Amino acid sequence: MNVILIGAQGSGKGTQAELLANALRLKPSASGELLRAAIAADTPAGRAAKPYYDRGDLVPDQLVIELILDAVRHLDGARGIILDGFPRNLAQARALDAEMEASGERITDAVYLDVPRNILLDRLSGRYVCRAHGHVWNIKTRPTRVPGICDYDGSELYQRSDDTPEKIGHRLDIFFSETIQLVDYYASQGKLIQVDGTRSVEQVHQEILQRLDPNLGRQGAFSPLPDERSA
Ligand code: AMP
């Protein structure tokens, strides 16, 4: 099972990726995190990606695909992979399909978290990230127990520099003009699972689980993150 999560910034994609990875024993791979790790480790790929990353531009497709394929090849006992942040456009999706086929693999499902733009804008303006591990919180929809402090690791929360109103608008424009095309692409392959992402984290997770793997969904495999137990 190799799953792609498609969703705009603020759609809850990272949270759902983490929950699905745990419930389905899939290896989570966020392209942004893979790039940050490669840059920090100063690998050849990291060195090549750094100038693009530093400018906030998209890194060339082939570089990101190599990192993703490397993650696919090293599953560390997981039964597949769950991709978050990749592909971001049709060219990447087509290249990924071709490269995976050449490696004897394939994308089995593409989950689209459907959230209207006005709700995304509202969510993103309240989003905070922890310094230690990048855990995502929201003062409106997912507050921490102690304001300004991450529930998981106790580190300080900060607002991302690209979560300003203008930059949020620009990033959403790119999503709704480019990345959204992936929805039709995977629908035409019969792989699309579209879910209403405006509901609670648990409701969204349960629906995805049910539709990805009906047996697991019926058994109620939801394993809440610590902060969601009391939500
Ligand atoms: P993210 O953490 O997903 O917001 O990504 C941070 C940065 O990593 C982006 O601004 C891009 O420079 C790069 N990046 C992440 N995913 C991709 C991708 N699929 N294609 C190209 N560049 C990417």
Side-chain angles (χ1 to χ4, degrees):
M1 184 185 259
N2 294 306
V3 180
I4 285 174
L5 274 181
I6 306 166
Q9 296 82 352
S11 63
K13 195 160 44 80
T15 304
Q16 294 298 334
E18 199 176 334
L19 289 170
L20 289 171
N22 286 338
L24 298 171
R25 279 202 306 113
L26 298 176
K27 179 173 173 173
S29 288
S31 51
E33 279 172 28
L34 290 175
L35 284 165
R36 280 186 284 279
I39 292 169
D42 200 26
T43 63
R47 276 196 293 278
K50 193 172 185 319
Y52 299 91
Y53 185 95
D54 285 347
R55 288 195 301 268
D57 288 337
L58 287 189
V59 167
D61 295 347
Q62 201 52 40
L63 269 177
V64 192
I65 290 173
E66 282 306 320
L67 289 175
I68 296 285
L69 285 179
D70 194 52
V72 171
R73 288 186 201 111
H74 299 96
L75 287 179
D76 308 327
R79 61 193 266 238
I81 198 161
I82 183 155
L83 296 178
D84 166 5
F86 185 92
R88 260 171 155 90
N89 56 38
L90 279 179
Q92 290 186 353
R94 292 194 182 107
L96 178 67
D97 276 352
E99 299 276 359
M100 286 197 73
E101 201 181 321
S103 315
E105 290 282 347
R106 65 184 201 101
I107 296 300
T108 52
D109 307 272
V111 177
Y112 172 42
L113 295 176
D114 186 12
V115 180
R117 190 181 170 109
N118 62 326
I119 295 181
L120 293 167
L121 282 168
D122 194 45
R123 285 186 184 174
L124 287 166
S125 63
R127 183 160 88 163
Y128 285 80
V129 183
C130 89
R131 290 235 180 258
H133 297 104
H135 294 127
V136 179
W137 302 95
N138 194 297
I139 47 174
K140 296 173 187 171
T141 58
R142 199 180 177 220
T144 50
R145 281 187 284 264
V146 179
I149 301 293
C150 179
D151 279 4
Y152 295 160
D153 55 38
S155 74
E156 178 200 20
L157 302 186
Y158 71 100
Q159 195 158 31
R160 279 171 53 158
S161 61
D162 52 355
D163 277 350
T164 62
E166 312 80 60
K167 290 185 184 169
I168 288 170
H170 178 61
R171 284 155 57 219
L172 291 181
D173 285 346
I174 293 174
F175 178 83
F176 284 110
S177 60
E178 274 199 56
T179 310
I180 196 75
Q181 296 174 31
L182 298 177
V183 171
D184 285 344
Y185 179 78
Y186 289 111
S188 72
Q189 296 184 359
K191 295 176 181 170
L192 185 71
I193 295 176
Q194 180 159 345
V195 299
D196 173 1
T198 62
R199 295 161 307 154
S200 73
V201 169
E202 177 167 355
Q203 284 173 321
V204 172
H205 175 64
Q206 280 300 345
E207 183 183 343
I208 298 173
L209 209 52
Q210 178 73 45
R211 292 174 65 185
L212 276 175
D213 189 336
N215 293 326
L216 265 175
R218 271 197 295 276
Q219 287 158 20
F222 179 68
S223 48
L225 295 169
D227 66 306
E228 276 135 18
R229 288 189 191 125
S230 55

